[in-house]
Amino acid sequence: MKLTFLIACCVLFLGFPVAGFAQDTPEEAQPADSITTPIPAPPGNVTAWDTENDHGHSVSLSWEPSPDDGTGLGNVIGYIVFRSDSPDGPFVDRGVQPAGASGHTDVGSKEEASQDYMADYVDYYYKVRAITADSLVFAESVMVGPVQSYGQWFNTGRIPVLVFVLCFMAITIFFIQKAKSGANLFVRRLAGIEAVDEAIGRATEMGKPILYVLGLGTAADIATIASYTILGRVAKKIAEYQTGLIVPCYDPITMTVAQETVKTAYMDAGRPDAYNEDMVYFVTQSQFAYVAAVNGTMLRERPATNIYMGKFYAESLILAETGALAGSIQIAGTDEIAQIPFFVVACDYTLIGEELYAASAYLGREPLLLGSLKAQDYAKAAVIILAILGVIAMNVGLDGFKDLFYISN
Amino acid sequence: MFTPAPLLALSSSTIGVSISLGLVGLGMVWMLIRSLRARDVDRRIVFLFIFISVSAPILFPITFSETPTPVVKKLFDKVESLPADSKVLISFDFDPAMAPEVQPMADAFTRHCMAKNHKVIFMSLWATGQSLLNQTMRAVLVTEFPEKRDGIDYVELGYKAGNEGVLNVIVSNFRKMFPTDVNSIPLDSIEIFDKIKSCRDLDLIISIGGGKPGIKEWVLFVGDPTKTPIGAGVAAVVAPQLYPYYPKQLLGLLGGVKGAAEYESELVRHYPQFEEVDKPGLRMMGPQTFAHVVILAFIVLGNISFFVSRRRASR
Amino acid sequence: MKRSSIIIMLVVLAMFVISWLAKASSMAGVEDHNIWHGFLITFSAFLTLAILSFLYKDNPFYKFAEHLFVGVSAAYWMSMGFWTTIVGNLIPRISNSLSAFFEVPPIADEWALLLLPDSVTFFIPVILGIMLLLRLSRNMGWISAWPLAFIVGSTAGFNLVRYLRSDFIEQVSSTFVPLLVDWQGTGHFFSHLNLNASGQFVTMAGNWVIFLGVMCGLIYFFFSKEHKGIFGFGSRVGIWILMVTFGASFGYTVMGRISLLVGRLTFLFGDWLGLIS
Amino acid sequence: MKRQVPLALVFIFGIFMIIQYFIPHEKSEWVYEFFLDWIYIIGIFALALGIWSLIRVSYDKIKYRRPNWQYAAITLLGLFFMILFGFDYGRHIFSAEGLRNYMFVSFFDYILIPIQATMFSLLAFFIASAAYRAFRARSALATLLLLAALIIMLRFNPYFGAVTPYIEKTAGWLLNVPNLAAKRAIIIGVGLGIVATSLKVILGIERAYLGKD
């Protein structure tokens, strides 16, 4: 209480006129103020080093909190880190840490044009200042330095990722080899996929086309890539049954790919004559304009079946409901978790998340694709085992186990 | 196309809304009967119901008298109980996407503080908050309180980059982070700041947002060290995550449209002069609840007709 | 065209004109170019209604709005892309004279790739782009696969590591939850048994559900084994949990979706018809 | 040539991107940023391709008087004018004012925005009809779906949710516990699927996107 009163006085009478120089460099401390607020002890044992696993332009610091931080006088409310490129200043403010903090990372810009550009391979000197509520009362650590920043060529923090990448590659390649050697790999049936076939049959009977929507993904979205395989299979069947196919596209590159896929499918089916460039066409690259157009198509062409496979966002429900309105059978598949519920609710069959990828392998029926599907399953088994081990470890207090998975930056 | 206009103008909103309520109610009864006969309704009828239930409360603004929940009341009472000329900081920590939900709160807070003659400091931790801040200043301050003068009754510090860093500095010294206000007038020559050095000198801090940096940061970096009371307004989605801080670290919390509506109605109860001003919170409230109830009703109806038809089938 | 539809057309047209004039007159004095602004607002109101009319059934007005929307939006993205990417990003790097023509500041070389200046390296995407356009030609079409390969390949590599990290490793490690929260013996557990949300029992139950839920979910996504026996049970539990989640997220979204409609109707009743102050 | 080169490219760039992820050094960052820029630039050419396809399809529609051919004309008109305004004649044709051209902006504000917002707002109707149609206790699973949805909806209905703390608690639990578990299971699965598929692409096993030979 008394303290706050003192602070208030100091702010009123002394603080204010001087506060103009608030951005004061460490040199000009005002001994006069020490009467009002006791000066805290400085942070001890400051060390500075180049930040690991980064592109350079950054230095990390650590220090022991001032004895008056929390304990002692308890008037330290934070720390300011100062940097200079020469031992005798001028020092500039490089960031603030709250009370109790014992470290800071000084990250500069890598753009030479930028204000806080921080050059690599240059000597820097650091000070840490313990600040109190009164900006004129503070204590500074001894200066540390010189320290240089530079970029690394390997990110040790990401070793776990590397390990997993290699393991996964190994499993996949192993099973692909196995598949090549003709071992038959069992894959359980997926309701959604079985449905595709009968849906095509139904469309043929009704003499109505099939609408295939690749979603809003770009050509490189993995969901879209999986969708191509399914499209290829569907198109092949359609070509055999001589049913109509409509593929409106949102992304121009996706369109070119889809055209390629459908064309080949028709050739494989031995009916290149039946293929027609306008089956696969570009609409527009604007979400709701695309939806508007597809909705229109649904109500005008009255497709027997709508297949939605790929990436979908808010439009998922609009599409699915309009499709239901048009009385089409609807089969959906997406890895966009937020949208799965709407498809589940509004469609007849839904491939949930991973099933979409499984479907592409399952439909392709190529041993190679199935091989990688096996690899996925074994990875999942590994996850289950790891999770069980991890839980046990947690409960017997082996926290080290979790650190095996720790990825720094 | 314009014929309804005079009619609506004449009809007091209560009549209008009761009519539409009756319509919807009757419709529901009719559908209940249909469902009991196990007949499904065409979805167009569903659409129609939604349309009516949303548009009616918009046309005849039905303001359910919101009785504020304690978590809102406490915040209101705090602003109310502060003596005139208290220093209140309002931080706009949100973006246009969140704005429909939380901007009403910002407006309500601003009105309340102005009515109580508090000195208000506006700032934002979000780059996108700046424009929304200006929006509130234009819509509320300049138009409704022309007598209030910039720099004396309120000051706009605007946006400063640095997220929590900003808070870390202003906790000890505003001038370090904000040498000037948005109009680049040095704080030293701004009357409000005569007596303000750091966040400690504020009587109340209100953070409006729902993302990071936001309420959590204000509590951890400013509220806890300085013991300055902090109030918050957030999007409905994030409200549950903040309840743990109430009441120890958070004075009060407005959650989503509902919270805004409660505050607005409380405001009107104390300050009748705000009867006329637009109350988006309350306005949004009607349609949302109304339509929401209708949807729930539909789910129930759907199941009734389903069960009836199934019993028929089993017979 | 049937007579009835012609009549409808005329009626709508008449209403449009009326509302336009009314709007314009109501804006007179308040705004300059009130005729033009009246038209714009009336037109966007018309488009709004046209789209909404789709809820009843497909109709010429919806078709009109839809086709207009498609054309305009495609052009919009084209212009956007041209100005932001070609003019904003490509030209300043490859040619000073061109950037002078477009009045954009040239971007300094970063000598990034193989020590070639940007002005050279940035011709590569242009060439790839042109290759893509070549697909329009009958006999050179095959070359369009090259830029495709570049895009697909690099994004595949990009996705592989990032998803492995964020969707796999980090998710797995966050499944390591303590199943015995501050366990002080069975006796203590049952004596302190209570149902408040932060209580030991509830947290523990929660952790168990999370752990088993993830397990069963994964089992459901197992493809190389028939879902039978204990395995089948696991997958069934998995799908139950999935369904609960889907229901929950659906219910969660409802409120937000309604406010979208509120926004539109406020435009119709307020900005256009001026029924709400 | 026609087959091998693309597959080789995919492999090279794929592997490069994987390696790049482990090299924090500026140089690798630069290359990475360049690739992203490149992809955007190629995208624009592709967009031109798309516009071409749009024009051709609409043109054919008109030429062969396909059903609704009149509307195709509207599409073309909209396209034409918007591009015209977009490539504005401010200071000289192709001035960067393109996007600030008055007509361009008004087209955006009074055609694109209203239609877009309205399309989006259709969700309010569809979410209702979907709920009515699908939330029926047909089977055990459907019932679970229904109950979960009901509880959450009651929770977020400001009038029921507030009054019954029980619903509030249950809803909170649903969102924090089973929801978390299921989402995590899906995410892990999807993650695996994506990783596996990317790998297949890089190794040239999954090549549907090139069109089979």
Side-chain angles (χ1 to χ4, degrees), chain A residues 274-287:
Chain A
Y275 173 72
N276 150 11
E277 275 281 307
D278 298 348
M279 284 174 169
V280 185
Y281 56 93
F282 172 78
V283 180
T284 169
Q285 205 157 16
S286 142
Q287 185 183 17

Side-chain angles (χ1 to χ4, degrees), chain A residues 245-261:
Chain A
L245 174 66
I246 310 171
V247 187
C249 294
Y250 167 85
D251 177 278
I253 303 184
T254 312
M255 173 200 71
T256 65
V257 177
Q259 282 176 342
E260 210 50 53
T261 318

Side-chain angles (χ1 to χ4, degrees), chain A residues 226-241:
Chain A
S227 184
Y228 296 140
T229 324
I230 303 175
L231 172 61
R233 163 67 177 265
V234 172
K236 190 150 174 277
K237 273 243 179 259
I238 289 176
E240 288 160 3
Y241 285 111

Side-chain angles (χ1 to χ4, degrees), chain A residues 27-345:
Chain A
E27 284 67 24
E28 40 191 68
Q30 317 292 339
D33 305 344
S34 54
I35 309 155
T36 58
T37 334
I39 298 180
N45 171 5
V46 181
T47 52
W49 65 92
D50 166 58
T51 313
E52 308 87 348
N53 301 329
D54 71 343
H55 65 206
H57 310 290
S58 166
V59 167
S60 299
L61 292 100
S62 79
W63 59 83
E64 286 163 3
S66 151
D68 298 324
D69 177 347
T71 56
L73 295 170
N75 60 350
V76 172
I77 65 162
Y79 301 91
I80 306 181
V81 173
F82 288 93
R83 183 185 78 200
S84 166
D85 42 19
S86 91
D88 34 58
F91 280 79
V92 289
D93 180 339
R94 291 299 299 169
V96 191
Q97 287 293 331
S102 66
H104 176 76
T105 309
D106 173 15
V107 182
S109 162
K110 67 175 184 180
E111 309 298 340
E112 285 179 43
S114 149
Q115 285 296 340
D116 69 350
Y117 170 66
M118 186 169 172
D120 279 345
Y121 303 105
V122 169
D123 288 346
Y124 285 115
Y125 301 84
Y126 282 90
K127 282 182 181 179
V128 180
R129 172 192 292 188
I131 53 168
T132 65
D134 175 353
S135 75
L136 305 173
V137 179
F138 52 76
E140 276 179 2
S141 71
V142 291
M143 186 181 73
V144 291
V147 55
Q148 292 190 337
S149 81
Y150 50 87
Q152 281 72 26
W153 283 100
F154 179 67
N155 186 337
T156 51
R158 289 176 175 178
I159 287 176
V161 184
L162 184 58
V163 174
F164 273 92
V165 170
L166 296 177
C167 295
F168 196 74
M169 278 191 176
I171 311 176
T172 314
I173 292 167
F174 168 76
F175 275 101
I176 288 168
Q177 291 309 330
K178 197 156 168 230
K180 274 193 188 144
S181 66
N184 85 316
L185 305 167
F186 170 82
V187 173
R188 75 174 165 88
R189 54 186 292 282
L190 293 161
I193 291 307
E194 309 290 321
V196 170
D197 288 353
E198 71 201 41
I200 297 172
R202 177 170 175 269
T204 327
E205 290 158 20
M206 298 168 69
K208 285 184 176 176
I210 287 179
L211 179 73
Y212 193 103
V213 182
L214 282 155
L216 265 53
T218 64
D221 268 316
I222 303 301
T224 319
I225 290 182
S227 184
Y228 296 140
T229 324
I230 303 175
L231 172 61
R233 163 67 177 265
V234 172
K236 190 150 174 277
K237 273 243 179 259
I238 289 176
E240 288 160 3
Y241 285 111
Q242 304 190 30
T243 319
L245 174 66
I246 310 171
V247 187
C249 294
Y250 167 85
D251 177 278
I253 303 184
T254 312
M255 173 200 71
T256 65
V257 177
Q259 282 176 342
E260 210 50 53
T261 318
V262 174
K263 198 171 183 182
T264 12
Y266 271 71
M267 285 174 180
D268 296 354
R271 311 194 78 303
D273 50 309
Y275 173 72
N276 150 11
E277 275 281 307
D278 298 348
M279 284 174 169
V280 185
Y281 56 93
F282 172 78
V283 180
T284 169
Q285 205 157 16
S286 142
Q287 185 183 17
F288 286 103
Y290 176 74
V291 177
V294 175
N295 278 359
T297 319
M298 282 184 196
L299 291 193
R300 277 155 228 155
E301 310 289 338
R302 296 262 163 201
T305 309
N306 305 333
I307 304 178
Y308 315 101
M309 300 274 172
K311 276 229 168 292
F312 289 88
Y313 302 99
E315 73 281 0
S316 59
L317 189 62
I318 302 183
L319 292 172
E321 274 299 288
T322 317
L325 187 72
S328 322
I329 289 187
Q330 305 203 87
I331 304 167
T334 184
D335 63 355
E336 198 54 47
I337 296 175
Q339 301 306 325
I340 299 174
F342 301 110
F343 278 139
V344 169
V345 165

Side-chain angles (χ1 to χ4, degrees), chain B residues 151-170:
Chain B
I152 296 159
D153 302 302
Y154 63 87
V155 56
E156 182 184 1
L157 293 181
Y159 163 74
K160 263 283 183 289
N163 303 341
E164 307 88 303
V166 177
L167 301 182
N168 270 324
V169 178
I170 62 175

